[in-house]
Amino acid sequence: MCGISGIVSGENVAAKLLSSIQNLEYRGYDSCGMAVLNARGPVVRKNVGHVADVAEKELFLSLEGVTGIAHTRWATHGGVTPANAHPHLSCDKTLAIVHNGIISNYARLKAALIKRRHKFASETDSEVIAHLVEENRKKGAPLERAFTSALKDLEGSFAVAMVSIEAPHRIYCGKHESPLILGLGKNEFYVGSDFNAFIEHTKDAVVMDDGEYAVVSDHGYEVKRIRDGKPVRKTIMRIDWDSEASRKGGFPHYMLKEIYEQPETVRKALSVSEDSIVGLAKGLTGAKRAYLTGVGTTYYAAKVGQYYFASEADLGVPAASSDEFLENSPLAKDDFVLAVSQSGETYDTLRLVREAKKRGAKTAAVVNVVGSTLSRLVDQVVLQGSGPEICVISTKAALAQMIILMRVAIEAGRMNGRLTPAEKRRKTAQLEALPALISGFLNEYSGLFHTIAQKHASRHNWLFMGRGRFYPVALETALKVKEVAYLHAEGMPAGFLKHGALALIDDTLMSAMFVPGESEKELHRMTMGSVAEINARGGRVIGFHFSKSLRGSKLFEDQVLLPSAPPLTSPLVALLAGQLLSYFLATVLGRDVDKPRSLAKSVTVA
Ligand code: F6R
């Protein structure tokens, strides 16, 4: 939700802290701030707005000191105001904290602190932490214990970092259910909500677990248990993402860069070891009941998976959105839950997986972020290796997840005899042909999507439709258009039209239809039937299809003849069409593409 950063060094940290929260900005970007320790205490600068603007306005770079913490916020408790931005100070201004998560008992803690004459400067839940530590210090606890006692009082989720004038070369940090990672440099140590906080400086990291805290200095770190202060031995992890991969590399937006990286992320998904794929396929086929889950885009990736398990393996594997799962799906011992998540930190998905484990179900995940909470929670994890996805909107990670689920579905089909080894080889070859197909498509078609977006960006209402495996593609495209172009868009199975939505059709509603290739005879015919129904009611349709014979068809106001692809992979080509359309609608409308309003990359709160 929010981004946390901290640096202890032998030299000034302000510039590095600034670049660190710029790299974390996708986690939240309504306000930001930093606190750098000087001889008199932490100097706090903060305000609302994007990091670059606030940094300029608040003269972040003029801060001097070798120890500092910084934060980029996505508001939960308290509006977007300068006072609610982090860091937060104690009353005596000797210590400052930054926090990510939600402290569910903050109201009670705050009331008790107010009774003890603490003055609060913000409406946030986070500020209680600074006052709790201060209160513990007043009662005589040494700083480290004052910090851990404060953490023990917190309910909910937190990752916290603190600096204090009493320990000018230290950062204290701790976590429960919100991610926190240490970066190990040379005479310089880092704290971050994820690797992007310090990937420019080091690839060596320590992933903190729930219930742990750390004391970090410029020459080392110690990790201990919050409960009793006992030291914990941690393994050092080497991150193979390079900092270059986190830069825009000449693209105007990360979203476009990440769309263009998809040939490579598909290759990476195809190079995930056969053992991992077999492991997931065994889990799914061997379970009494098996489910796929995710939320938002990853739910749609799971939904794509559901269709492929049916077509390739004759298996009914329902996809349930993780936020609704516990209400709509029975879950018990020996069930199998396969979760999909880019960040591996999404609250809804983690909550579900924790509950699944409690009930004795087996759990597995396809995850992008190495060391993330989900990746460490499940019984079986497959790392998709898509590299950092910086744009808040998920594109390359989602496609890679679909590829992995398709591989698992094909493998499950081979295992249960639905596919012969030769069919498996043929389908795998079709997947392997995808990177080249995608490269060609992106290079040749971007201009066309820009033109279509320019022509139709003034339409405020969109209906995206498809049948079969094109239905989840329609859902995903509608989500993309909503979140990045801020246009009202719905995704719907084309078959629903005559069950109600036809009443909406008029010449102000833009319909977009994903039409399967002609080799899928029945689906193609029925989908074109839906196009005709819209036309008959004076509606307007943009067609995304694979049929040369439809070129020039009067049924479409605009159309894109997509490059020919076998039925197995054609929905993925349609998905790319949806990505490009939403990207160009957003740029034509001047939207903040990489940081759409009100959204955050990793939603770690309920
Ligand atoms: C949409 C998008 C979100 C995420 C969702 C789950 O473009 O990115 O809908 O897919 O918040 O996030 P992860 O995959 O990190 O669990």
Side-chain angles (χ1 to χ4, degrees):
M1 204 86 295
C2 304
I4 286 184
S5 172
I7 307 179
V8 204
S9 174
E11 45 185 64
N12 264 344
V13 290
K16 283 181 179 164
L17 273 178
L18 170 57
S19 122
S20 169
I21 52 169
Q22 279 178 315
N23 293 337
L24 288 178
E25 205 174 3
Y26 64 89
R27 298 182 68 94
Y29 35 81
D30 52 45
S31 37
C32 67
M34 63 166 75
V36 174
L37 279 177
N38 72 15
R40 286 181 303 282
V43 180
V44 172
R45 300 272 169 83
K46 56 185 186 176
N47 214 325
V48 301
H50 284 180
V51 175
D53 301 330
V54 176
E56 212 181 299
K57 198 161 153 200
E58 299 297 327
L59 305 175
F60 279 3
L61 292 179
S62 67
L63 291 172
E64 280 186 27
V66 295
T67 306
I69 51 177
H71 188 268
T72 164
R73 179 169 189 246
W74 190 82
T76 54
H77 288 68
V80 180
T81 63
N84 289 339
H86 299 217
H88 295 290
L89 286 161
S90 54
C91 295
D92 63 8
K93 302 194 172 17
T94 59
L95 63 92
I97 64 99
V98 289
H99 164 236
N100 172 29
I102 285 191
I103 298 165
S104 47
N105 61 338
Y106 88 98
R108 189 162 47 76
L109 295 171
K110 186 169 175 176
L113 286 160
I114 289 173
K115 270 201 187 139
R116 298 191 64 83
R117 296 181 196 291
H118 284 264
K119 296 251 176 314
F120 279 76
S122 78
E123 304 149 350
T124 62
D125 52 342
S126 314
E127 194 186 343
V128 294
I129 305 169
H131 296 278
L132 279 174
V133 180
E134 181 178 32
E135 185 64 20
N136 294 336
R137 279 293 294 123
K138 271 201 228 156
K139 289 182 187 156
L143 188 61
E144 185 171 328
R145 194 144 50 74
F147 179 67
T148 54
S149 304
L151 298 189
K152 281 187 210 164
D153 284 341
L154 306 180
E155 287 166 17
S157 58
F158 59 82
V160 182
M162 176 185 89
V163 289
S164 162
I165 184 65
E166 294 186 77
H169 299 281
R170 300 241 186 300
I171 292 177
Y172 297 84
C173 59
K175 73 151 252 154
H176 177 69
E177 290 188 3
S178 291
L180 193 65
I181 299 174
L182 308 181
L184 323 180
K186 256 203 199 122
N187 302 325
E188 194 165 84
F189 285 76
Y190 314 87
V191 174
S193 320
D194 67 47
F195 300 129
N196 291 304
F198 48 72
I199 192 92
E200 288 178 332
H201 310 296
T202 181
K203 292 189 168 150
D204 292 330
V206 163
V207 179
M208 306 250 313
D209 285 297
D210 284 350
E212 292 176 349
Y213 75 101
V215 183
V216 181
S217 72
D218 54 347
H219 52 271
Y221 66 95
E222 274 182 296
V223 178
K224 302 180 190 176
R225 294 203 304 220
I226 296 174
R227 182 158 37 104
D228 52 14
K230 262 195 147 174
V232 185
R233 273 170 72 103
K234 303 292 291 180
T235 341
I236 298 177
M237 180 168 196
R238 196 150 172 87
I239 312 151
D240 62 0
W241 291 4
D242 67 40
S243 56
E244 200 41 53
S246 312
R247 298 205 183 100
K248 257 188 242 168
F251 285 89
H253 299 103
Y254 283 114
M255 182 173 175
L256 192 63
K257 173 179 182 251
E258 288 160 6
I259 288 175
Y260 270 78
E261 280 170 357
Q262 290 180 109
E264 191 47 34
T265 46
V266 170
R267 259 182 226 113
K268 289 264 168 60
L270 290 171
S271 69
V272 162
S273 80
E274 195 65 15
D275 283 355
S276 306
I277 301 294
V278 171
L280 291 184
K282 278 191 181 150
L284 279 159
T285 48
K288 199 167 77 185
R289 281 184 301 226
Y291 298 101
L292 300 167
T293 192
V295 68
T297 287
T298 44
Y299 165 56
Y300 296 145
K303 192 103 192 125
V304 166
Q306 174 179 356
Y307 279 82
Y308 282 93
F309 279 102
S311 64
E312 308 308 312
D314 243 342
L315 279 177
V317 188
S321 186
S322 60
D323 59 329
E324 286 290 315
F325 193 117
L326 292 170
E327 278 66 43
N328 68 19
S329 308
L331 184 60
K333 191 167 174 330
D334 298 332
D335 289 343
F336 184 86
V337 177
L338 173 53
V340 185
S341 175
Q342 191 286 129
S343 63
E345 302 295 349
T346 300
Y347 172 86
D348 296 301
T349 306
L350 288 176
R351 172 174 168 260
L352 163 66
V353 169
R354 288 192 176 111
E355 183 59 29
K357 286 179 78 105
K358 231 191 260 168
R359 295 191 196 178
K362 302 252 172 357
T363 56
V366 176
V367 187
N368 192 34
V369 177
V370 190
S372 57
T373 307
L374 183 64
S375 72
R376 289 177 298 128
L377 190 65
V378 289
D379 305 316
Q380 255 172 289
V381 65
V382 171
L383 293 168
Q384 59 187 88
S386 307
E389 190 179 62
I390 305 294
C391 175
V392 165
I393 308 299
S394 183
T395 50
K396 65 173 186 173
L399 178 61
Q401 288 155 351
M402 292 174 199
I403 298 286
I404 290 173
L405 293 180
M406 286 163 76
R407 285 185 65 197
V408 179
I410 292 170
E411 178 55 31
R414 189 205 57 82
M415 278 178 183
N416 67 15
R418 166 78 176 72
L419 298 179
T420 63
E423 279 170 327
K424 180 186 163 183
R425 277 198 300 278
R426 186 171 56 81
K427 291 188 184 251
T428 306
Q430 290 176 356
L431 287 179
E432 281 164 355
L434 205 54
L437 182 70
I438 296 177
S439 293
F441 172 74
L442 292 172
N443 291 331
E444 285 167 37
Y445 282 69
S446 291
L448 179 55
F449 282 94
H450 187 218
T451 310
I452 292 182
Q454 267 179 322
K455 188 164 158 199
H456 298 290
S458 59
R459 314 228 142 256
H460 292 291
N461 294 299
W462 292 71
L463 198 51
F464 289 91
M465 285 165 283
R467 283 179 187 259
R469 286 173 289 187
F470 291 85
Y471 163 48
V473 170
L475 287 172
E476 167 60 3
T477 305
L479 177 63
K480 288 279 160 293
V481 170
K482 276 181 213 164
E483 60 185 349
V484 71
Y486 316 157
L487 294 172
H488 174 228
E490 299 301 333
M492 209 181 65
F496 265 38
L497 258 182
K498 48 180 169 294
H499 300 288
L502 266 181
L504 268 180
I505 302 295
D506 62 16
D507 72 346
T508 65
L509 179 75
M510 200 71 231
S511 297
M513 191 69 78
F514 294 104
V515 188
E518 283 169 45
S519 65
E520 299 191 71
K521 284 197 188 78
E522 188 69 354
L523 276 186
H524 178 84
R525 186 185 59 73
M526 292 198 297
T527 310
M528 285 311 295
S530 305
V531 174
E533 285 164 7
I534 300 171
N535 271 270
R537 277 133 191 109
R540 324 163 70 147
V541 192
I542 302 181
F544 301 103
H545 63 80
F546 300 88
S547 312
K548 287 203 177 99
S549 62
L550 286 174
R551 260 206 296 229
S553 164
K554 293 272 180 302
L555 289 173
F556 299 124
E557 176 165 333
D558 265 307
Q559 55 164 290
V560 180
L561 171 60
L562 298 167
S564 108
L568 186 80
T569 51
S570 57
L572 304 182
V573 177
L575 182 89
L576 297 186
Q579 293 175 348
L580 286 178
L581 178 68
S582 48
Y583 172 76
F584 286 114
L585 283 172
T587 52
V588 168
L589 291 166
R591 307 302 193 218
D592 195 349
V593 173
D594 288 330
K595 301 186 192 86
R597 65 185 181 200
S598 309
L599 301 182
K601 181 81 184 149
S602 114
V603 184
T604 56
V605 291

